[in-house]
Amino acid sequence: MTLVLDGATAASAEANAACSLENYLALPDQSPGNLLDGRIAAARAKLGATAVILGHHYQRDEVVRFADFTGDSYKLSKTAAATGAQYIVFCGVHFMAESADILAQNGQQVILPDLNAGCSMADMAEISQVEDCWDALERAGLAAETIPVTYINSTAAIKAFCGERGGLVCTSSSARKALEWAFARGKRILFLPDQHLGRNTGHSMGLPLDEMVVWDPWAVQIGSFWGGQSKEQLAASRMLLWKGHCAVHQRFLPSHVDQARAKYPGIEVIVHPECRYEVCQKADALGSTEQLIARVEQAPAGAIFAIGTEIHLVNRLAKRFAPEGKKIVSLDDAGCLCTTMYRISPQHLAWVLENLVEGRVVNRIEVKPDVKHWAKVALDRMLESRD
Ligand code: 13P
Ligand code: SF4
């Protein structure tokens, strides 16, 4: 069948086709005259103050260079909550864009350039598994004295779960404040979904390791009623650590710290608190991405750092601080990239921006209103507990 289109419809069909993602994905990253960069810059300039581009520190250089604001999860959440821009283009991962939408004002729209940019750690806690855990705590008579705290690397549904049950959200830079807030209100914390951040933060506050027990959601499936613990162990615990982790950070091992110290005498080892407890214990300092950057910025010329975090950030810091005489290496020789952060390409960024210029919003992230309410309560508590 042949469709007969009038002039205006044909023109708009042609424009739609031109704006299809496939056409953008065929564009090379680099081309003579940097065609893609020029298109992104031109679209961004046309959008002016109606749009803001937020970029997480793990983004590729070709993308993050266009960010109006860069930051760790905490800083980007605050920036998203404060901006007046109509469109918030989030170059990060899904949970970050969801959090921005939850904190956004009426009329603002949040865009994630590639909807496949998720977070494998966030996927390790499903809301039905968390509800099963809570049911078990209720049966054991422990729920009323337990406060759920979720790392921001989690779905909006889990944030809402925490908000509705008197809990809150934290980021790696606000985890300690969040735990203090929660311990002021309950005897025990259910910490989701990163066991390492929970354990490292609890330990830094003086909690003994044996009072922080792991809740294994998969053990429940094979009949362990109490997530791999006895009822007595649950009752004696101060922290229940969800058995989740970040594959990028869990790769770092204590032996990497020993090797770095042997190779570069005087080296400072700084790592993200998503790394294992044993690695964090051997490191000189822990911090969120923003805090790791600040540590390098404040160091004197000649300082040497091994950094245990995502490789794009480490490489960017190495390049940026080389002229100041600071040497930066990855803690692990191989380095590891966050494949989901990497999904946001300059092609995707050009696609969402040029569509916005044409008045089309693509890849909008919208949290359902019923989830939004309690998730916002949990995020607002995070912002209040840290500042
Ligand atoms: P930051 O909040 O430290 O940027 O961490 C986000 C993250 O996902 C680390 O893996
Ligand atoms: Fe998630 Fe790890 Fe990637 Fe951070 S680095 S976004 S925790 S998978």
Side-chain angles (χ1 to χ4, degrees), residues 88 92 195 205 212 221 270 279 354:
I88 301 171
Q195 58 166 309
M205 294 167 68
M212 297 186 273
Q221 317 259 316
I270 57 176
V279 171
E354 289 189 351

Side-chain angles (χ1 to χ4, degrees), residues 58 93 95-96 118-122 151 153 246-249 274 310 338 340-341:
Y58 294 161
V93 286
F95 72 80
M96 295 179 178
C119 164
S120 54
M121 176 204 284
Y151 191 21
N153 299 37
C246 165
V248 176
H249 290 90
E274 288 174 16
E310 205 268 351
C338 173
T340 48
M341 284 275 184

Side-chain angles (χ1 to χ4, degrees), residues 56-58 71-76 93 95-96 119 121 151-153 170-174 194 246 248-249 272-274 287-292 309-310 313 338 341:
H56 186 264
H57 293 305
Y58 294 161
D72 60 9
S73 307
Y74 186 81
K75 187 173 158 195
L76 293 177
V93 286
F95 72 80
M96 295 179 178
C119 164
M121 176 204 284
Y151 191 21
I152 196 164
N153 299 37
C170 72
T171 68
S172 55
S173 73
S174 70
D194 183 16
C246 165
V248 176
H249 290 90
H272 197 278
E274 288 174 16
S288 73
T289 52
E290 191 76 13
Q291 291 167 334
L292 295 175
T309 196
E310 205 268 351
L313 174 56
C338 173
M341 284 275 184

Side-chain angles (χ1 to χ4, degrees), residues 72-310:
D72 60 9
S73 307
Y74 186 81
K75 187 173 158 195
L76 293 177
S77 299
K78 283 207 77 159
T79 310
T83 182
Q86 188 182 350
Y87 305 114
I88 301 171
V89 178
F90 214 124
C91 297
V93 286
H94 197 270
F95 72 80
M96 295 179 178
E98 269 192 341
S99 300
D101 182 57
I102 293 162
L103 292 167
Q105 315 296 319
N106 280 341
Q108 288 182 308
Q109 301 188 44
V110 179
I111 292 160
L112 181 64
D114 184 349
L115 296 180
N116 291 314
C119 164
S120 54
M121 176 204 284
D123 292 342
M124 289 178 193
E126 285 174 18
I127 185 65
S128 59
Q129 295 175 312
V130 176
E131 283 165 353
D132 286 348
C133 169
W134 198 257
D135 282 351
L137 293 178
E138 276 177 342
R139 281 194 302 272
L142 303 174
E145 56 189 33
T146 303
I147 306 288
V149 178
T150 187
Y151 191 21
I152 196 164
N153 299 37
S154 55
T155 61
I158 288 178
K159 292 181 178 79
F161 174 95
C162 292
E164 198 170 358
R165 286 159 188 80
L168 77 169
V169 175
C170 72
T171 68
S172 55
S173 73
S174 70
R176 187 179 177 123
K177 287 274 174 147
L179 293 199
E180 285 168 359
W181 186 98
F183 276 131
R185 289 160 177 81
K187 179 183 163 196
R188 176 184 310 97
I189 288 172
L190 168 63
F191 192 86
L192 304 149
D194 183 16
Q195 58 166 309
H196 299 305
L197 178 64
R199 185 178 294 107
N200 289 324
T201 312
H203 177 79
S204 75
M205 294 167 68
L207 281 187
L209 288 180
D210 62 4
E211 291 184 16
M212 297 186 273
V213 303
V214 172
W215 176 275
D216 181 352
W218 301 104
V220 177
Q221 317 259 316
I222 55 166
S224 163
F225 204 56
W226 308 111
Q229 304 294 334
S230 68
K231 194 171 166 185
E232 292 68 35
Q233 281 167 316
L234 291 186
S237 70
R238 302 290 314 288
M239 287 254 267
L240 274 180
L241 304 170
W242 193 263
K243 196 176 180 188
H245 65 270
C246 165
V248 176
H249 290 90
Q250 198 171 264
R251 278 170 54 100
F252 297 111
L253 300 172
S255 58
H256 294 138
V257 182
D258 298 338
Q259 284 156 14
R261 293 202 194 283
K263 190 163 174 189
Y264 303 102
I267 198 168
E268 200 175 322
V269 177
I270 57 176
V271 303
H272 197 278
E274 288 174 16
C275 292
R276 297 164 194 270
Y277 169 78
E278 296 79 4
V279 171
C280 292
Q281 284 304 296
K282 279 183 171 257
D284 296 298
L286 318 183
S288 73
T289 52
E290 191 76 13
Q291 291 167 334
L292 295 175
I293 296 168
R295 184 99 181 185
V296 178
E297 280 170 346
Q298 286 151 18
I304 312 177
F305 287 95
I307 308 186
T309 196
E310 205 268 351

